[in-house]
Amino acid sequence: MLRYSCCISNRSYEAKQPSFYREQRRVSSDRITLCSGGGGATAVVSSSRLRDLVFVVNPQGANGRTAKEWKKLLPYLRSRLGEDCNICESLTSGPSHAIDITREVSGSEKLYIALIGYIFSYHHVALYQAIRDGADAVIAVGGDGTLHEVVNGFFWEGKPVGNLNSETSHSAALGLIPLGTGSDFARTFGWKNDPCEAVDRIAKGIRSRVDVGVIDQEGRDSHYFINVADVHLSAKAGFYASKYKKFGSLCYVIGALQAFMGHDNRDMRIKVNGGEWEVYPQVTALCVGNAKYFGGGMKITPNASPGNGNLEVVVLQDFKWYDFILKLHKLYNGTHLSVNNVSSRSVQSIEVEEVSESGSIYVQSDGEHLGFLPRKFQVLPGAIDMIS
């Protein structure tokens, strides 16, 4: 018998036993009943093995729309999946919390719904245990930010969590119900922001291997991305856009306008696949794509595919503010590779540093600000099973 309790407090974290609410479905051999109450959540399982699914939900996503859509989705989710699992619903809060849930939730025969809000480092064990102990899937419910955190929860100290437990007979898969502001990763697969369609995919459980990008800097832990990582102007624009999420997709436009204020193109050095250093003068932005879209539908790395074992690197050089206005339609439809001062190449790894080493060139991945150059980006081919 496995136990798990989780925090729902919206207050800042204090180092003590968290409070919680939980609703639990208990399973007999042929039917499900519903019960609720206090104390630790206990899984009661039938003799036949159930699917172990962990849903990580960001109720703050899309300016609160994710929470509303999630509540609407729950009846359909229970009707579609409830016969195959116990359901434990909990509310937690804190920074990087999706990473923590992925690592910590115990992998018993139940379906966990973890509602996450703000982020704090206390929960860094959560998603680790969910995957290590044999959860069938961890499913991000929200936008690219939530997906990004869940993907990082699949790794621990530079290694896939699934490789740390030799006793599990299967690996956890990554799932997605796209309900966020951008949901750019879903666009690569042609998925709509249709939660019922996403639940149907989860019910079918068809898996495919996808690549993951990893970002390294000397003296720091590795960071993982599944969509697009970028450097300089676009990364700075993403940093500012995160402050205007209440404006929906318009936040990307506002972020770009603010990033252009005081922007200077910079000379950079890059090293591809461990080769020789090359100088790229007057770089405006450098994007490393495992998938195709970022910035609310901009097809920035149109040749990227998350299953081909490569990353696509697109470099924009010597762009002025009016170039973006004149060529914005090309950036959105993916035809910008034919534009002067835009280059593209397929790589397994790329190291990027600024020639002047000012320490002021922004780096982000999947919309999360990571700091500044230098950085090394490389691909981990087929690193995760994804429900597709």
Side-chain angles (χ1 to χ4, degrees):
M1 184 175 293
L2 299 165
R3 297 180 181 272
Y4 175 76
S5 61
C6 40
C7 172
I8 63 168
S9 173
N10 289 319
R11 297 167 296 179
S12 59
Y13 170 69
E14 297 176 357
K16 60 182 181 181
Q17 179 68 27
S19 61
F20 67 92
Y21 165 81
R22 64 114 172 102
E23 177 184 298
Q24 177 189 333
R25 287 175 180 259
R26 293 190 177 182
V27 178
S28 64
S29 59
D30 58 355
R31 65 182 298 171
I32 297 176
T33 57
L34 180 67
C35 66
S36 62
T42 303
V44 181
V45 301
S46 64
S47 56
S48 59
R49 187 184 183 280
L50 305 175
R51 293 180 67 194
D52 310 337
L53 306 178
V54 180
F55 282 73
V56 181
V57 187
N58 182 3
Q60 308 297 326
N63 203 24
R65 182 175 60 85
T66 299
K68 297 175 183 177
E69 294 296 324
W70 176 246
K71 289 179 182 178
K72 293 178 184 177
L73 178 63
L74 274 174
Y76 181 74
L77 184 142
R78 286 174 174 142
S79 67
R80 193 76 171 83
L81 302 175
E83 294 300 320
D84 298 323
C85 47
N86 298 317
I87 296 177
C88 176
E89 187 171 352
S90 60
L91 178 66
T92 59
S93 63
S96 289
H97 204 176
I99 301 174
D100 312 327
I101 294 168
T102 302
R103 289 175 181 157
E104 186 182 65
V105 180
S106 139
S108 60
E109 283 71 12
K110 54 186 167 293
L111 177 149
Y112 276 115
I113 304 165
L115 302 176
I116 69 161
Y118 304 101
I119 302 174
F120 51 84
S121 59
Y122 160 70
H123 296 278
H124 264 93
V125 204
L127 297 182
Y128 162 72
Q129 275 193 325
I131 299 168
R132 186 200 64 180
D133 294 344
D136 289 273
V138 180
I139 295 140
V141 182
D144 296 307
T146 303
L147 177 64
H148 175 80
E149 291 190 12
V150 169
V151 167
N152 274 269
F154 273 76
F155 300 88
W156 182 265
E157 296 182 345
K159 298 178 181 179
V161 172
N163 293 349
L164 302 180
N165 187 357
S166 59
E167 297 180 3
T168 57
S169 58
H170 61 278
S171 61
L174 171 67
L176 174 63
I177 298 180
L179 286 177
T181 302
S183 296
D184 282 313
F185 181 75
R187 298 175 197 267
T188 293
F189 290 87
W191 295 339
K192 302 175 182 177
N193 274 17
D194 183 340
C196 292
E197 181 181 290
V199 170
D200 291 340
R201 282 197 301 271
I202 294 163
K204 293 175 184 176
I206 299 173
R207 296 180 173 208
S208 59
R209 301 295 292 184
V210 295
D211 307 332
V212 171
V214 57
I215 304 172
D216 291 308
Q217 184 181 37
E218 188 175 351
R220 297 197 177 190
D221 292 337
S222 297
H223 200 91
Y224 302 87
F225 69 99
I226 197 167
N227 194 41
V228 177
D230 51 311
V231 172
H232 205 17
L233 179 66
S234 55
K236 191 193 301 184
F239 174 76
Y240 289 129
S242 65
K243 302 177 184 298
Y244 301 104
K245 286 297 181 76
K246 63 182 179 181
F247 295 108
S249 295
L250 189 60
C251 70
Y252 300 110
V253 177
I254 300 172
L257 291 173
Q258 188 170 353
F260 262 116
M261 297 174 61
H263 170 77
D264 292 315
N265 297 323
R266 301 289 183 88
D267 297 341
M268 295 187 192
R269 283 189 292 263
I270 70 170
K271 180 190 290 187
V272 172
N273 299 336
E276 299 296 323
W277 286 102
E278 307 170 45
V279 175
Y280 275 58
Q282 295 299 292
V283 173
T284 307
L286 183 150
C287 302
V288 183
N290 186 50
K292 300 179 187 295
Y293 297 88
F294 81 158
M298 194 178 293
K299 199 173 184 180
I300 190 65
T301 46
N303 297 322
S305 173
N308 67 1
N310 296 304
L311 300 170
E312 183 184 14
V313 176
V314 171
V315 184
L316 281 63
Q317 293 173 264
D318 201 23
F319 267 53
K320 308 297 189 295
W321 65 269
Y322 51 82
D323 289 315
F324 279 94
I325 294 176
L326 295 174
K327 298 162 185 173
L328 189 62
H329 66 288
K330 290 182 176 289
L331 290 168
Y332 272 94
N333 63 29
T335 60
H336 56 288
L337 299 187
S338 61
V339 173
N340 290 336
N341 297 336
V342 177
S343 59
S344 171
R345 62 200 299 178
S346 180
V347 308
Q348 286 79 50
S349 70
I350 179 170
E351 297 175 57
V352 185
E353 60 183 38
E354 184 192 6
V355 171
S356 66
E357 299 181 353
S358 70
S360 63
I361 304 300
Y362 283 69
V363 178
Q364 74 164 6
S365 66
D366 299 346
E368 179 177 340
H369 175 63
L370 299 182
F372 305 93
L373 288 181
R375 287 290 196 279
K376 180 178 181 179
F377 307 81
Q378 55 188 330
V379 66
L380 302 177
I384 292 178
D385 270 334
M386 183 150 197
I387 299 175
S388 56

